[in-house]
Amino acid sequence: MERKTMLLIFNPKAGLELFRQNLFEVIDKFTANRFLVTAYPTHHQRDAYEAVTLMGSDFDYLVCSGGDGTLNEVVDGLMNLDVKPVFGYIPSGTTNDFAHSVGIPDDVLHAADVICNGEARPIDVGKFQGDYFSYVAAFGLFTDVSYGTPQSMKNLLGHAAYMLEGVKRLASIKRWHCRIDCDGEIIEGDFVFGMITNSMSIGGFRLPIEHEVKQGDGLFELILLKQVRRLAHLQDIIGAITGTNRASEYFIVRSARKITVTCTEPLDWTLDGEYGGQYEQTEIHVCQNALSLMMPIPKTAAETLEQLTGGAESNPDQA
């Protein structure tokens, strides 16, 4: 059997540095599955992007490990290649929202198993002005928490670090007046938060999306949180963002292929948890089936039933 070439890009400082601690076992697993691995640890911001654009087309597979920042750089780089390798992701960040959305496990070695034994399936990618993002572009309340939280605090406290950093912003809730063209539907109003996403959760919290989010349908979800008039309703705002309060009067939720956001003042955006720039008008559209990502093979109905019942349904003698 012919060996396949793999470029493995990883952030050695991501999360609790679990990937670096398991690096030998990961490479051993890949080589046992007939991959020829070239490992590349990142050293500075945009290093992953530069590595992908310079070397990515020379490999059959490109695998990255890190948090949202590393993932964003790699996706951005892949989208600028004429010949795109099969993409694999081993999450090693603090919240790993993208991995959860596509069923990739948090455990480093189990995620490596998905790359060895899973299947490549097409996924959509968002285009934001001239850049790309894998699962979320957002503005407003709390959206700077991810890139505004020191890496040392993320490593020490994990998910709690985002919560602590977010509390600092509660005293200054701001609204933005926006006009939003959502596939031709015009939505205008005052909003404290907005996002375009292809994920069911952000920052570890489930979003107020009632339908299933699909990775290759050419649609991203638009979620807007309207201004709440009274400061006493601050708890409702927090509950709305964290998903504990899904009261419909606070939210506007749509699915769309193209979204244009126009604001009366420059908006700061975050892309996949990293600072994405400041714009008064922003165009976001979906690049359908842009990348081929290694994902777990879907369970059959029988396997799903066995997992849920512990095998009791398949063995009548246990009843």
Side-chain angles (χ1 to χ4, degrees):
M1 184 186 297
E2 185 179 354
R3 289 186 178 271
K4 299 156 287 189
T5 58
M6 175 191 292
L7 177 59
L8 173 61
I9 298 175
F10 65 96
N11 180 355
K13 297 181 180 179
L16 298 174
E17 302 184 7
L18 292 177
F19 182 81
R20 186 171 69 174
Q21 296 170 28
N22 289 275
L23 179 60
F24 175 81
E25 287 81 359
V26 169
I27 293 178
D28 185 57
K29 183 180 291 291
F30 287 150
T31 55
N33 282 272
R34 304 192 66 77
F35 285 101
L36 292 172
V37 182
T38 299
Y40 186 93
T42 60
H43 298 89
H44 54 79
Q45 192 172 17
R46 300 301 287 174
D47 197 7
Y49 171 81
E50 293 167 6
V52 173
T53 54
L54 286 173
M55 301 183 288
S57 293
D58 297 331
F59 291 84
D60 301 316
Y61 285 69
L62 193 150
V63 175
C64 81
S65 183
D68 289 342
T70 306
L71 175 66
N72 177 263
E73 288 187 24
V74 169
V75 167
D76 200 7
L78 284 169
M79 291 298 293
N80 284 285
L81 296 180
D82 292 330
V83 179
K84 297 175 175 60
V86 176
F87 180 36
Y89 181 51
I90 299 176
S92 55
T94 305
T95 56
N96 303 321
D97 294 307
F98 175 77
H100 295 162
S101 292
V102 296
I104 297 174
D106 284 334
D107 181 83
V108 168
L109 295 180
H110 289 166
D113 278 331
V114 170
I115 295 166
C116 296
N117 303 307
E119 64 180 14
R121 300 210 298 273
I123 61 167
D124 299 337
V125 171
K127 186 171 184 179
F128 177 96
Q129 307 290 74
D131 297 320
Y132 297 92
F133 62 95
S134 58
Y135 74 99
V136 63
F139 70 86
L141 185 65
F142 294 150
T143 53
D144 65 333
V145 168
S146 179
Y147 62 81
T149 304
Q151 184 65 52
S152 58
M153 185 182 292
K154 295 179 187 178
N155 291 350
L156 180 63
L157 299 177
H159 180 64
Y162 290 108
M163 299 299 294
L164 293 173
E165 194 71 17
V167 168
K168 299 178 184 179
R169 291 153 173 77
L170 295 180
S172 56
I173 296 177
K174 184 178 179 179
R175 71 179 187 273
W176 288 265
H177 187 82
C178 299
R179 185 179 187 272
I180 300 164
D181 184 333
C182 180
D183 279 351
E185 178 187 359
I186 303 301
I187 303 169
E188 188 165 1
D190 293 331
F191 304 102
V192 297
F193 172 80
M195 68 165 57
I196 296 94
T197 183
N198 203 28
S199 174
M200 290 297 294
S201 68
I202 300 293
F205 295 111
R206 183 176 173 84
L207 295 173
I209 303 171
E210 301 302 328
H211 57 274
E212 180 185 359
V213 171
K214 297 180 180 179
Q215 297 299 322
D217 62 357
L219 298 171
F220 274 19
E221 315 309 315
L222 168 68
I223 302 173
L224 299 168
L225 179 60
K226 294 185 285 188
Q227 179 192 11
V228 176
R229 299 290 179 181
R230 298 178 183 176
L231 190 60
H233 292 165
L234 178 59
Q235 184 176 352
D236 293 330
I237 296 177
I238 298 171
I241 293 176
T242 60
T244 57
N245 176 6
R246 298 176 183 274
S248 60
E249 65 265 25
Y250 296 120
F251 284 109
I252 296 174
V253 180
R254 298 287 190 276
S255 297
R257 298 181 183 276
K258 182 179 179 181
I259 298 166
T260 302
V261 179
T262 305
C263 188
T264 53
E265 59 182 299
L267 272 177
D268 285 317
W269 286 84
T270 176
L271 303 180
D272 294 337
E274 300 297 311
Y275 183 63
Q278 188 180 74
Y279 304 94
E280 289 185 15
Q281 186 175 77
T282 309
E283 273 195 11
I284 302 106
H285 74 263
V286 181
C287 304
Q288 187 171 11
N289 296 341
L291 296 178
S292 181
L293 176 69
M294 294 301 296
M295 299 189 204
I297 296 175
K299 289 183 171 62
T300 65
E303 288 172 331
T304 302
L305 180 62
E306 182 177 2
Q307 183 180 29
L308 292 173
T309 62
E313 292 292 330
S314 61
N315 187 354
D317 293 337
Q318 292 182 358

